[in-house]
Amino acid sequence: MEYTFLDIEQLQFPEAKTILKKRGITKLNPPQTEAIRKGLLDGKRLVIASPTASGKTLIAELGAISHLKKEGGKVIYVTPLRALTTEKYSTFKEWEPLGFRVGMTSGEYDSEDNYLKNYDIIVTTYEKLDSLWRHRPGWLEEVNYFILDELHYLNDPSRGPVVESVAVRAKRRGLLALSATISNYQEISRWLHAEYVSTSWRPVKLVEGVMYPSGKSYLVTFKDGTTKRVKGDDPIEAYTLDSISRGGQVLVFRNSRRYAEGTAKSLSGKFKETQELLELSKEIEEVEDAGATERENLSLLVRRGVAYHHAGLSRGLREIIERGFKERKIKVIVATPTLAAGVNLPARTVIVGDVFRYNRKVTGFREEIPVMEYKQMSGRAGRPGFDSEGESIIVLRDKRNFEKIFEKYLTSDVEPIESKLGAENAFYSFLLGTLSADGEMTRNALRTYVEETLLSDEMIDSHFDKGVEWLKDHEFIIEEDTVKLTQFGKKVADIYVNPFTAVTVKDSLKGKAPSCDLAYLHMLAYTPDAPIVGTSNMDESLLYDVDCKMFIDEPFDELEMSLYLSAMKIAFIIHDWIEEVDEDTILSRYGIGSGDLRNMVESMDWLTYSGYMIAQVMKEETHEESLRRLNTRVKDGVKEELVELVQIPGIGRKRARQLWNEDIRSLADVVMEPEKVKRILGEKLGERTVHEAARILGKGNHGEERGYDYIP
């Protein structure tokens, strides 16, 4: 197939030419060329479906800047992940010399972010934009062009409802949607009232194959019918070594953390240490936000050019691993599939070690991963500028499923995008968000809005009236001539929690006596907005080691009991955290990673704030005060007496305790005794701490309520 490349000198867009030339771009690639042919620079609404690394971000940049030049207003670029938000923000900052200011936000759900009125291009997440609409800031009315990145997240059961909610509102204005994996792009384009650009062009050719045991070696059958044999004791190990011998880097995907870590450890024995890698391993050893065992394990692997990567690792560890791989120091990363979605890390070879995984909801049930998930992983194969082709290899343990797997993943389309608003909690939250963003309306008008979603007419018929009645029964809305939010309903919409979370909190607290911190933490961890953790290694005797009344009764149902135990484990973890138990002790005691702990702290920080807000609107004053005090402690993991000190930037739980033990117990103490503070913390940090304490006292804002930055 022939592709067209547009010389940038042909662009009627002189400002863009300047920026492109600085990047060394002289021609636009086929997807970019086709987008311009379809009217990108004329403000046409487009859906772009093209492979990973095919230049979709530049299409978005050109669309945004040309829109601002011709139409004015504001542009919002929306991503599904905070890591991508930071990445795209940095990219758009390069256009500021043209006079456009670029801003970013991904936090403070209970906030209008009025400072964003000063920016022309705003990069944010789907959840944050959804929450902003509920607050109705005036500046949001100026936004007349939305760029929806990674639109295939519509198919994600947990994130899809929010992506769809944003798309429904965004499609009323100018719109550009981007994705690497949409099979039913024509249907999605019609839904968004847009034209589509669909191309299979990618900058590095992708070679795909399936590998299985054959005699005393392994046979790879490629998509084009050619084959290749590799020798070794293990298929993943064999192909990894083969690729590296040809100058490649390798991403291996395994379906669990345990397998990822085990495979990385096994592979590391095949490589030698180098001075360059020893320096990188020392960086790993010095990371502050990770547990000692994690640092030690990864340091030993990295010095041999191998690492593992999953959500259990701290952000600091992940950043060093990613940088080491981008700099081509680390040769192999063994990761769980979350890496494929969130980080731009191309490799010569992608090895998909597992196309099966176990369904956590159905014990022992093994299922095949979606084709879309495979495409996200295989899309990382091929390093532009380094490789002439990339390889994606699926590993099978025997030949039995070869033909089925070959056909499904190498020759079939990805699953069509479908609405995920059909689940009750998602649908009810959508109704609540609509009323919060658009104000009161008749029931018929609300139904008309729901009909703008991807839901089928049959699904709407079965859900709509039931949803409205449920929200009325639980006091979120009232209906007279119009449907409108109650004070309780508006508060729940503003703090951005699921209606079922709010009902759990309301029913648990109403008319009940106050209880201990553990009871409040368990109640909040039992809500739909809380994370779920494995409890197979949990000591169930902990359930009975509680000397206060729990708000949630122990269930009889097996599934509910699993959630109950998960909530109890989280409650114990966070309780240890706020009692200043050493972090390494917590990680070891509960069998979690430092990244897991950070995620739990973020979610429980948000949920304790939400619980406090719900108790406030319920006028349950004793619960309100208990939750307020609890919330002040969760983010930093401190006892109550340290809350004031940890407001100082750079002062965490350990340094705050050092100061307290030396009788520096307030912001005023820090300011009044600068020499003592310097002696305790060291000259530089001490001086900065005194300066920051004075600044906070000067502003008079210590103890203020704050918004929350949590994406489940």
Side-chain angles (χ1 to χ4, degrees), residues 161-185:
V162 177
V163 177
E164 189 168 348
S165 298
V166 167
V168 166
R169 190 163 276 107
K171 69 178 181 172
R172 296 175 169 184
R173 308 183 195 178
L175 179 139
L176 174 67
L178 311 171
S179 177
T181 45
I182 302 179
S183 58
N184 57 332
Y185 53 83

Side-chain angles (χ1 to χ4, degrees), residues 464-615:
F464 181 73
D465 288 328
K466 180 183 173 184
V468 172
E469 295 305 318
W470 187 91
L471 290 171
K472 283 165 60 176
D473 291 344
H474 290 88
E475 302 175 329
F476 291 96
I477 62 175
I478 55 174
E479 183 177 20
E480 293 166 348
D481 294 332
T482 59
V483 180
K484 60 183 177 181
L485 296 177
T486 61
Q487 187 181 6
F488 173 67
K490 179 58 178 166
K491 178 56 68 178
V492 171
D494 283 350
I495 59 179
Y496 205 66
V497 291
N498 190 283
F500 284 88
T501 290
V503 168
T504 298
V505 173
K506 182 160 73 84
D507 290 349
S508 297
L509 299 183
K510 194 170 184 179
K512 303 274 182 68
S515 192
C516 65
D517 290 341
L518 197 66
Y520 288 108
L521 291 170
H522 178 256
M523 170 194 69
L524 294 166
Y526 193 63
T527 64
D529 284 308
I532 297 174
V533 297
T535 57
S536 57
N537 60 349
M538 182 177 172
D539 180 0
E540 292 193 22
S541 66
L542 289 172
L543 293 175
Y544 309 104
D545 188 25
V546 180
D547 57 3
C548 65
K549 172 68 174 170
M550 305 302 284
F551 292 112
I552 307 293
D553 293 329
E554 192 173 319
F556 296 103
D557 177 83
E558 186 177 342
L559 177 58
E560 287 299 316
M561 188 61 187
S562 173
L563 296 173
Y564 185 90
L565 290 173
S566 170
M568 187 61 80
K569 183 173 179 177
I570 292 171
F572 274 111
I573 289 169
I574 299 300
H575 191 264
D576 279 1
W577 172 249
I578 64 175
E579 289 299 314
E580 299 181 36
V581 173
D582 180 72
E583 185 169 332
D584 282 331
T585 301
I586 295 174
L587 301 184
S588 173
R589 181 179 292 170
Y590 298 103
I592 59 173
S594 52
D596 298 319
L597 179 58
R598 295 286 173 269
N599 289 336
M600 287 182 211
V601 167
E602 283 189 11
S603 80
M604 295 306 289
D605 184 29
W606 170 52
L607 285 169
T608 49
Y609 172 77
S610 300
Y612 157 49
M613 289 284 102
I614 291 169

Side-chain angles (χ1 to χ4, degrees), residues 605-653:
D605 184 29
W606 170 52
L607 285 169
T608 49
Y609 172 77
S610 300
Y612 157 49
M613 289 284 102
I614 291 169
Q616 186 179 74
V617 80
M618 289 171 62
K619 299 188 173 11
E620 290 280 352
E621 294 178 3
T622 54
H623 294 306
E624 177 190 343
E625 178 59 18
S626 296
L627 285 160
R628 184 196 67 77
R629 287 171 34 235
L630 185 59
N631 174 245
T632 62
R633 300 170 58 194
V634 170
K635 182 181 180 187
D636 296 292
V638 293
K639 295 179 180 178
E640 200 164 348
E641 67 257 28
L642 295 188
V643 167
E644 188 172 334
L645 289 175
V646 292
Q647 292 179 77
I648 304 171
I651 300 301
R653 63 205 307 247

Side-chain angles (χ1 to χ4, degrees), residues 88-97 100 102-103:
K88 303 305 180 186
Y89 168 74
S90 298
T91 300
F92 273 96
K93 288 286 282 183
E94 294 179 22
W95 295 88
E96 284 195 329
F100 300 116
V102 181

